[in-house]
């Protein structure tokens, strides 16, 4: 039997940040991590970023909860400075994703520092290869969890319990239920252990799921490639889709591609067959396919990466060659050609439909570069609704005593939009930590 100020279920960005902050401020914490190492999907990422102001965030993410948006923008800079105070390498701020601002952070170093501080400096436990089987309830209050460890079962009592298991993208059933019937077919571009464990525990304790149809974060990747090596997740993602034209298997455009590849990914999932042709001309290729997605990153040729990875790709000397798209690809070549011709004409005469907010240049500089793309999922947006103190809410909107949620286990921050997953996890992980310390005090 153990009793602590904060029990953390999940050792990713939200969970490790919360536990470390509590321990630094005199509290006791235990982290329960399903994997053999901490870090989760955050170990594959490196930029803590979000919108620079509340106004910008609300414009980009109008469906998100306003109070959570305010917390995210208000806290992120100070929270990154707290990471830096631990000795973590944090680079100078740069522009991100057209509208954002953020810093590159050495996440590998961060999780190593957090682990050492918890275990060596503060005597807290980090239980690896362990799972929370159920939450302990005292009336409506969550008072800990039954945990399975390699040494056997344990009962851990806690004043507060934080659910931070990283979302439910690793579970096909939850994907189909909460995202789209075809969502189970998506390739996973994160660790597979985020399978909805936190969501299930929270729902069983009376927490409310939300928001419906919130979507997910991911990127388009070439159809048919191997995508099981985390170090290649970014390299093989087609961020450049926001400067190309996307055409579905009926030969039609279906979205404003310029709003972002992460939004294109959600739109492609909802198309027939959940795939699309990504088409660029020479101008687009030179300006965007071989240009780093993030300032300062090494340039790579996304089209050549797709080719070398075995993706379904092609080049066309002119628009007439679209008539000869291979039948087995499943796209009507004549209709695709007509769509691009109509798009080019509309760009010269007022704008295409669907509109293009940020890039209305026609694709009229051959040759053309074509990639058959499909969506890949990183993490989910719908989770347990929280307030701005990271307290999980019940069906009536009231905080459930003793239950916190952060990162992708929480819902309401992003709805069909995205503005920084690491920032979200860091900010609300630390808000959960402050809530736990205030309760202990």
């Amino acid at each position: 039997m153990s009793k602590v100020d904060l029990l953390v279920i999940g050792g990713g960005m939200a969970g490790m940040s919360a536990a470390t902050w509590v321990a630094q401020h005199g509290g006791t914490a235990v982290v329960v991590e399903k994997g053999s190492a901490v870090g989760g999907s955050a170990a594959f990422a490196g930029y803590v970023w979000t919108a620079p102001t509340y106004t910008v965030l609300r414009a980009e993410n109008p469906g998100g909860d306003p109070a959570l948006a305010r917390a995210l923008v208000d806290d992120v800079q100070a929270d990154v400075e707290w990471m830096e105070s631990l000795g973590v390498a944090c680079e100078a701020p740069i522009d991100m994703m057209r509208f954002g601002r953020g810093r590159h952070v050495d996440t590998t170093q961060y999780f190593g520092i957090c682990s050492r501080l918890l275990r060596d400096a503060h005597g807290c436990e980090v239980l690896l290869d362990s799972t929370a089987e159920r939450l302990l309830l005292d009336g409506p209050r969550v008072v800990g969890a039954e945990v399975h460890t390699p040494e056997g079962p344990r009962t851990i009592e806690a004043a507060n319990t934080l659910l931070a298991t990283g979302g439910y993208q690793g579970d096909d059933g939850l994907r189909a239920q909460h995202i789209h019937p075809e969502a189970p077919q998506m390739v996973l571009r994160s660790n597979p252990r985020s399978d909805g464990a936190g969501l299930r525990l929270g729902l069983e304790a009376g927490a409310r799921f939300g928001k419906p149809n919130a979507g997910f974060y991911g990127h388009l990747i070439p159809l048919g490639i191997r995508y099981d090596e985390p170090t290649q997740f970014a390299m093989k993602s087609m961020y450049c889709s926001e400067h190309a034209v996307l055409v579905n298997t009926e030969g039609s455009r279906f979205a404003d591609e310029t709003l972002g590849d992460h939004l294109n990914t959600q739109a492609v999932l909802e198309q027939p067959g959940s795939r699309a042709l990504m088409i660029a001309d020479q101008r687009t290729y030179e300006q965007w396919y071989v240009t780093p997605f993030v300032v300062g990153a090494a340039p790579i040729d996304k089209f050549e990466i797709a080719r070398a990875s075995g993706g379904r790709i092609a080049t066309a000397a002119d628009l007439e060659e679209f008539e000869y798209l291979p039948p087995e690809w499943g796209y009507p070549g004549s209709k695709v050609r007509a769509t691009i011709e109509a798009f080019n004409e509309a760009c010269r005469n007022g704008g295409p439909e669907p509109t293009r907010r940020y890039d209305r240049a026609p694709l009229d500089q051959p040759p053309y570069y074509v990639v058959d793309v499909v969506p890949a999922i990183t993490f989910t947006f719908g989770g347990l609704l929280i307030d701005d103190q990271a307290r999980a809410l019940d069906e009536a909107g009231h905080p459930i005593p003793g239950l916190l949620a952060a990162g992708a286990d929480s819902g309401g921050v992003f709805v069909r939009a995205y503005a920084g997953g690491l920032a979200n996890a860091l900010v609300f992980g630390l808000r959960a930590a402050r809530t736990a310390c205030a309760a202990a005090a």
Side-chain angles (χ1 to χ4, degrees):
M1 183 79 74
S2 307
K3 189 167 185 177
V4 295
D5 295 315
L6 180 65
L7 171 60
V8 177
I9 313 299
M13 177 61 72
M16 292 298 286
S17 300
T20 303
W21 200 94
V22 166
Q24 262 199 328
H25 289 78
T28 54
V30 171
V31 177
V32 177
E33 166 56 39
K34 182 183 294 186
S36 57
V38 299
S41 295
F44 309 147
Y47 289 92
V48 180
W49 74 275
T50 192
T53 67
Y54 173 77
T55 301
V56 172
L57 182 55
R58 292 294 293 158
E60 295 290 336
N61 179 39
D65 183 287
L68 302 182
R70 179 73 68 184
L72 181 60
V73 172
D74 286 351
D75 286 10
V76 65
Q77 180 174 339
D79 289 351
V80 174
E81 291 172 355
W82 171 78
M83 295 176 74
E84 203 167 17
S85 75
L86 300 180
V88 179
C90 302
E91 297 180 3
I94 59 172
D95 293 334
M96 301 282 299
M97 297 270 292
R98 177 175 50 76
F99 65 88
R101 188 80 173 160
R103 301 176 69 178
H104 183 269
V105 172
D106 188 334
T107 53
T108 299
Q109 182 191 34
Y110 178 62
F111 290 120
I113 289 174
C114 287
S115 296
R116 289 192 296 274
L117 286 173
L118 286 170
R119 288 170 164 157
D120 301 337
H122 301 291
C124 297
E125 290 185 286
V126 178
L127 304 176
L128 302 177
D129 299 309
S130 302
T131 57
E133 301 299 315
R134 70 181 184 91
L135 296 180
L136 303 175
L137 300 178
D138 181 6
R141 176 176 290 277
V142 175
V143 293
E146 297 284 356
V147 176
H148 185 271
T149 76
E151 288 74 36
R154 283 181 59 178
T155 299
I156 302 177
E157 293 184 344
N160 281 274
T161 299
L162 170 62
L163 301 176
T165 65
Y168 55 85
Q169 59 273 7
D171 185 275
D172 289 348
L174 291 173
R175 281 205 246 176
Q177 179 183 356
H178 294 299
I179 298 178
H180 190 273
E182 297 301 317
Q185 309 306 316
M186 284 192 291
V187 175
L188 190 63
R189 66 187 305 274
S190 64
N191 85 80
R193 295 184 297 276
S194 294
D195 57 5
L199 176 64
R200 292 188 181 91
L201 290 171
L203 293 176
E204 290 169 1
R208 179 182 176 187
F209 178 86
K211 296 182 177 180
N213 195 34
F216 65 96
Y217 171 66
H219 286 288
L220 294 174
I221 64 171
L223 173 68
I225 67 168
R226 289 195 54 163
Y227 202 66
D228 52 6
E229 175 51 55
T231 60
Q232 296 184 352
F233 283 171
M235 181 182 297
K236 295 181 179 179
S237 296
M238 306 305 291
Y239 306 118
C240 44
S241 78
E242 59 197 59
H243 299 282
V245 165
L246 293 170
V247 177
N248 63 21
T249 55
E250 296 174 350
S252 301
R253 286 184 64 235
F254 50 87
D256 178 353
E257 301 92 343
T258 66
L259 297 180
D261 180 69
H262 58 294
L263 298 180
N264 293 337
T265 304
Q266 296 184 66
V268 169
L269 174 65
E270 297 166 352
Q271 298 308 301
S274 297
R275 61 193 181 98
L277 284 186
M278 187 178 82
I279 304 169
D281 65 353
Q282 186 66 24
R283 175 194 67 87
T284 307
Y285 172 79
E286 291 177 355
Q287 290 186 4
W288 303 108
Y289 278 46
V290 296
T291 301
F293 186 62
V294 175
V295 175
I300 57 174
D301 189 325
K302 289 291 185 176
F303 189 77
E304 287 304 317
I305 290 291
R307 183 199 303 276
S309 302
R312 181 181 282 177
I313 60 98
T315 56
D318 49 41
L319 288 178
E320 287 74 17
E321 285 196 7
F322 280 90
E323 299 277 355
Y324 305 104
L325 274 171
E328 62 270 21
W329 283 29
Y331 294 90
S334 296
K335 180 65 183 297
V336 172
R337 173 188 175 181
T339 293
I340 299 301
E341 289 175 337
F343 170 83
N344 290 344
E345 185 65 22
C347 286
R348 300 184 190 102
N349 295 282
E353 182 60 39
T355 188
R356 301 259 289 188
R357 186 182 301 179
Y358 298 107
D359 183 353
R360 295 187 181 181
L363 298 185
D364 59 1
Q365 298 182 27
Y368 294 92
Y369 300 83
V370 183
V371 184
D372 202 353
V373 293
V374 294
I377 184 172
T378 306
F379 65 86
T380 50
F381 291 157
L384 305 172
L385 287 185
I386 61 172
D387 65 9
D388 62 1
Q389 303 305 308
R391 298 177 296 184
L393 304 177
D394 64 17
E395 291 292 338
H398 302 137
I400 297 175
L403 186 61
L404 308 167
D409 275 1
S410 65
V413 180
F414 302 135
V415 177
R416 305 291 295 188
Y418 175 69
L422 289 187
N424 174 35
L426 175 64
V427 165
F428 290 101
L430 292 182
R431 287 222 164 191
R434 296 183 186 104
T435 298
C437 282

